[in-house]
Each structure stands twice: as structure tokens, then as C-alpha cells.
Amino acid sequence: MGARNAVQLDDMRLFREQAYINGKWYAADDKGVIEVTNPADESALGTIPHMGAPETARAIDTAHTALATWRRQLAHERADHLMAWHAEMLAHKEDLARLMTLEQGKPIGESRGEIDYAASFIRWYAEEARRLYGCTIPTHLHGRTLFSQHDPVGVVACITPWNFPAAMITRKAAAAIAAGCPVIVRPASETPYSALALAELADRAGLPEGVFSVVTGDARPICGEFFRDSRVRAMSFTGSTEVGRLLIEQGAQTVKKMSMELGGHAPFLAFDDMDPKEAAEMAVAAKFQTTGQDCLAANRIYVQRGIYETFLKHFQAATDRLKVGTGFEEGVELGPLMNQGAVDKCQDHVDDAVAQGARVLTGGDRHERGGLFYQPTVLADVTPQMKISCEETFGPVASVAAFDEEDEALRLANDTEYGLVAYLFTHDNSRILRLSEYLEYGMVAVNCVKITGAPIPFGGFKQSGLGREGGHEGITEFTEVKYVCMAF
Ligand code: NAP
């Protein structure tokens, strides 16, 4: 079967192998192409153009031209464009989900969920566009009226990861576009087709030329151009803390407004007053979503000594029930990992933990399906010195350790450079209030695991990021506050 036949959609025009700049599609030129593969079997899906600085400069030129008119559209006109884009996404949900499973590997049910989630940001920011209020300021000067307003920051560059190929784009782009800013997206090279399908739908929804562009190719020259050009006023990045640090440094060149959604290394605290079976089921949901390749994954599970062994028994049993396979197989909950490096990292974390005394309760090795599949794994008696306690594994390897006292649990939870989300499981209300305050995390999930959505301010403390996406806060990442003082 040829690569072209590997992608079958009802609407094949959603499968684009060109970049989208200024409302036009650009095929590869003499710089060649990047191949895109299906992680389920590593077969070829297609190619994307290998673009660089000149094409990025063209995208910036056109975005900058679009800014002049887009920022002056009335809020409800921008909202109407966004709602048309939202409707296109929902009308093509099944094709978009299919494309995502092909390029990312996640089970089709998760892909459908991500399309709904991604579309919800477009709707949310269509609504927020109309409510981007400024304020009047009680004057401190005689004969003056003072007020402030939100101005669009200008052209926005977005760099996005492969684990949520649609939602990490719309969470940024819808907010920026609603605020009056043209957007240029450079998607992860492993999952560009979801981004390009979004561009096709933006085109059908009638977004004006230059308001939403997608440039594909090597990240470094593309980002280099974004950073060099002072007309790009904001950079919004989702990815690892390591790359985020590099980008923050480069952003200093032209003093860009930087939004950073970076790594997470979430603690999961379960206290003795919990039903250990219920806590174990919650831990499975918090750990293995997106095959563990999730910034919200519960990477460090700490269980109070009184329920520790019973918790482990239930956690192992629930982990053993997880079905691994390709994203289109019935009932599959875990797909392949994204690349060989991810598989190797899982194995390295397991080997390191075992060498230092951790117990493997289940899994611990590459999956019998071969390729990029890894066994859902549970490690018990993990200690803070092990790699798995210090770094994101970004795979289906769960690490569990016991604690005795609340203070110890809090210290373990906060003992990291990350601060994205913490999970807390207890029925003691005063403990909930105390720990919600003392956990150094941008988000705290109490007795639940699914906490994301368009209305919430998503983001991390410490080295998990800068700024917030979603909620009202998300749109202000793409505005500047202007103060006006008028004499009368
Ligand atoms: P990554 O390696 O940091 O890559 C993210 C994006 O940055 C990709 O598009 C990548 O391009 C690009 N990139 C890589 N090196 C670059 C460089 N030197 N200059 C400019 N761009 C560069 O992260 P990932 O492995 O894709 O994603 C996993 C990470 O994202 C995890 O740490 C996870 O926690 C984090 N994440 C955070 C959130 C959040 O909301 N906080 C959400 C999802 C994921 P290529 O595709 O070409 O490598």
C-alpha cells in the first residue's frame, strides 16, 4: 500500500501535505520534505515541506499585513469567524479524530475527545472576544478622565507539541485571534496533519488571509526567524521545560511577550482515609491517559502507609486490565509511544529504579507487540534519588512510594522544579484546605482527575511555565494594557 493510501478520510481535502501561508497552500521546494509516520506501525503517512527562515519571513510579512485590518474588526465580527471555524471542526470531527490517531497513535476515543476539547477553545474565545473589557480608573488628577483598554499584542508565533496535536493549537490560536492578533503556528514535525487540517477548516470558515498560517519544517531556523523579527510580538510555546528555557533566552533579543506551557511532574497524594480501590482507579486514570505522554500525568504517586499495600494490589490489577493496541482497535486504552527515544526513556527509568531497589509489580519492559509499544508498568517503593522521581518519564510507567505523615507528603510533592498540577485524595476537609494552599502548583485536583476545559486558567508554577491558557486569563496573554489619560 502506498503512503498516499495510508490516510483514508471521508473528506480527503483535510489531509494536506503543504504549508498554509496567507491563505495559500505551499508545496515543498528544493529544501525537500519531512516524512511523517504512523507510530502504531512506523509506516509512512506522507510528507510535509521542509521550510525554513525565508518561508517564515513570508508568513510574518503576511501576518503583519493582516494585523492592520484584523485588529480593527469589531469584536463580534472576529467572534463570528471563530464560530464558523468551530462549526467546521465539529462537522468534520470524525475525520479530524482519525487523522490524529494516524499521526499520534492515541486511541480513537481519546482523539474524538481531543477534537471536542480543541473546538471548545474556539467557541470559548469567540465568546470572550466580546467581553475583553477595559476599565475606568478613579482619577488622581483634576480635569482628567482615565481609562485602560486591551490592545492586541501583534503577530503571535505558536510552537506546539505532538501529544495534543489539535488542542494545543486552538488553546493558543483562538485566544490570540479573538484578541485581534494574526497567528503563525509551527506544529511538531511528528504530528503536523492535525494542524494543517485546522488550517484547511480555517480557510473554509473564511478567516481572512494571513490571520492563521501554518509553517512546517525544522524548528530552529523557523524559531530563529520568529525571534529575529521584532514584528512578532508574542511567542506562545507548549513543550518541555528544557526547550522552553532556550526559547525564553532567545525571546530576549526582541523582548517578546512569552507564554510558556512546560513540563509537569505531577504528585498524586492518597491518604489513609481513602478507599484504596477507589484511589487506585483514580491513579490509573491520572497516570495512563494519552499513554502517559501527558503533562498532567500523575508521575509520582505517594500513598499513606496504612493503605499502601492494598492500594498497590488494586493499582496493579487495574493496570493489568488496560488494553494496549493500535488506536483503531476496539477497546484499546493505550497506544504506542511517539518515537524510539520515548521507549528508551521508559526502559532507562525502569532499569535505574530497579537497580536502586524498586519493585516491578507489573510490566517493566517493551510490549510484546514490538515497535513503539511499552507495557503499562507499576514500580513500587520508589525513592527520591531515582531518575523517575526527578524527571518526567512521559510514558506508561507509574512510580509509587509510601509516606507516613502529611508534612512528609507535602515535602515530597513540592520537592521538584515543576509545578503544573497536583492530585490530592482525602476526605478530611481541613487537610484539603491546608494542602490546596501549600501545594506549589498552578492547579490542584481534589478527589478527581479530569480537570481541564476551556473555562479554566491552565498553567504552572515554577519551571512548569509562564502565563495561563484557557479561561479569561488566556486571552490577556495576547493583549497589552493601554492606559489613556484625557484632559477635559
Ligand atoms: P519538546 O521537545 O519541547 O517540543 C515541543 C515543540 O518545540 C515541538 O514543536 C518541537 O519541534 C519544538 N522544538 C524542539 N526543540 C526546539 C528548539 N531548539 N527551538 C525551537 N523549537 C523546538 O516537547 P515534546 O516532546 O514535543 O512535548 C512533550 C513536553 O511538552 C513534555 O515536557 C510535556 O510536559 C510538555 N507539555 C506541556 C503542556 C502544558 O500545557 N504545560 C501540554 C503538553 C505538553 P520538533 O517537533 O521538530 O521536535
Side-chain angles (χ1 to χ4, degrees), residues 186-199:
R186 187 275 173 194
S189 294
E190 278 144 325
T191 56
Y193 294 132
S194 295
L196 294 165
L198 287 177

Side-chain angles (χ1 to χ4, degrees), residues 292-328:
Q293 303 172 112
D294 194 323
C295 54
L296 300 184
N299 279 0
R300 298 174 294 135
I301 299 169
Y302 301 116
V303 182
Q304 204 164 12
R305 188 90 51 198
I307 59 167
Y308 183 63
E309 288 300 337
T310 328
F311 171 93
L312 285 175
K313 187 166 62 75
H314 290 298
F315 189 49
Q316 175 191 338
T319 304
D320 283 339
R321 284 195 295 274
L322 291 170
K323 188 169 170 197
V324 178
T326 65
F328 295 109

Side-chain angles (χ1 to χ4, degrees), residues 2 14 36 53 70 79 91 186 227-228 241 264 271 275 295 306 456 481:
L14 291 177
V36 182
W70 186 248
R186 187 275 173 194
F227 286 122
R228 197 196 57 74
T241 297
F271 284 84
D275 169 11
C295 54
I456 66 135
V481 174

Side-chain angles (χ1 to χ4, degrees), residues 160 162 171 186 189 237-240 261-263 295 392 458:
T160 56
W162 47 261
R171 198 165 71 174
R186 187 275 173 194
S189 294
F237 171 75
T238 297
S240 61
E261 292 293 344
L262 307 179
C295 54
E392 277 184 293
F458 188 108

Side-chain angles (χ1 to χ4, degrees), residues 134-467:
C135 68
T136 54
I137 300 166
T139 189
H140 60 298
L141 301 168
H142 289 295
R144 303 279 192 278
T145 294
L146 320 179
F147 62 93
S148 70
Q149 64 187 45
H150 287 279
D151 278 11
V153 66
V155 174
V156 173
C158 301
I159 312 290
T160 56
W162 47 261
N163 61 343
F164 289 93
M168 296 303 98
I169 292 175
T170 56
R171 198 165 71 174
K172 301 171 185 305
I177 289 171
C181 305
V183 167
I184 306 166
V185 176
R186 187 275 173 194
S189 294
E190 278 144 325
T191 56
Y193 294 132
S194 295
L196 294 165
L198 287 177
E200 168 67 23
L201 295 177
D203 192 81
R204 293 183 197 179
L207 260 78
E209 290 174 358
V211 169
F212 182 77
S213 296
V214 179
V215 180
T216 58
D218 190 355
R220 282 168 196 76
I222 292 174
C223 285
E225 192 59 28
F226 287 146
F227 286 122
R228 197 196 57 74
D229 195 318
S230 60
R231 294 173 300 171
V232 177
R233 291 308 321 138
M235 156 75 70
S236 180
F237 171 75
T238 297
S240 61
T241 297
E242 190 188 353
V243 174
R245 279 191 205 105
L246 288 174
L247 299 187
I248 291 168
E249 262 182 58
Q250 294 174 63
Q253 286 175 59
T254 46
V255 192
K256 293 196 200 308
K257 193 164 182 180
M258 306 289 281
S259 304
M260 296 276 139
E261 292 293 344
L262 307 179
H265 197 29
F268 179 107
L269 309 181
F271 284 84
D272 276 351
D273 60 6
M274 284 300 295
D275 169 11
K277 184 163 185 265
E278 189 193 335
E281 280 160 9
M282 289 292 182
V284 167
K287 171 65 210 176
F288 293 105
Q289 162 98 0
T290 328
T291 314
Q293 303 172 112
D294 194 323
C295 54
L296 300 184
N299 279 0
R300 298 174 294 135
I301 299 169
Y302 301 116
V303 182
Q304 204 164 12
R305 188 90 51 198
I307 59 167
Y308 183 63
E309 288 300 337
T310 328
F311 171 93
L312 285 175
K313 187 166 62 75
H314 290 298
F315 189 49
Q316 175 191 338
T319 304
D320 283 339
R321 284 195 295 274
L322 291 170
K323 188 169 170 197
V324 178
T326 65
F328 295 109
E329 285 169 55
E330 192 64 30
V332 159
E333 292 154 295
L334 268 68
L337 298 182
M338 195 67 237
N339 50 44
Q340 193 54 47
V343 176
D344 295 344
K345 188 168 190 191
C346 286
Q347 195 60 55
D348 180 45
H349 279 191
V350 170
D351 293 346
D352 171 77
V354 170
Q356 296 189 63
R359 279 185 283 158
V360 181
L361 300 189
T362 188
D365 212 340
R366 290 164 171 81
H367 197 273
E368 63 197 18
R369 298 184 78 113
L372 300 176
F373 291 90
Y374 199 85
Q375 294 174 342
T377 296
V378 176
L379 299 176
D381 307 341
V382 167
T383 60
Q385 296 71 34
M386 297 174 186
K387 281 187 195 172
I388 197 162
S389 299
C390 312
E391 303 168 12
E392 277 184 293
T393 311
F394 233 56
V397 182
S399 87
V400 193
F403 69 89
D404 292 298
E405 303 296 335
E406 180 183 308
D407 282 355
E408 182 191 0
L410 181 64
R411 187 174 42 72
L412 287 165
N414 285 341
D415 184 19
T416 171
E417 69 189 29
Y418 297 104
L420 191 59
V421 65
Y423 299 90
L424 172 59
F425 286 84
T426 175
H427 295 304
D428 178 336
N429 285 339
S430 55
R431 173 176 282 151
I432 290 172
L433 292 174
R434 208 167 37 246
L435 290 184
S436 298
E437 176 152 353
Y438 296 148
L439 283 163
E440 296 163 357
Y441 287 82
M443 299 176 283
V444 178
V446 182
N447 295 332
C448 59
V449 293
K450 308 264 184 232
I451 61 163
T452 57
I456 66 135
F458 188 108
F461 285 9
K462 298 182 352 192
Q463 296 187 42
S464 283
L466 298 173

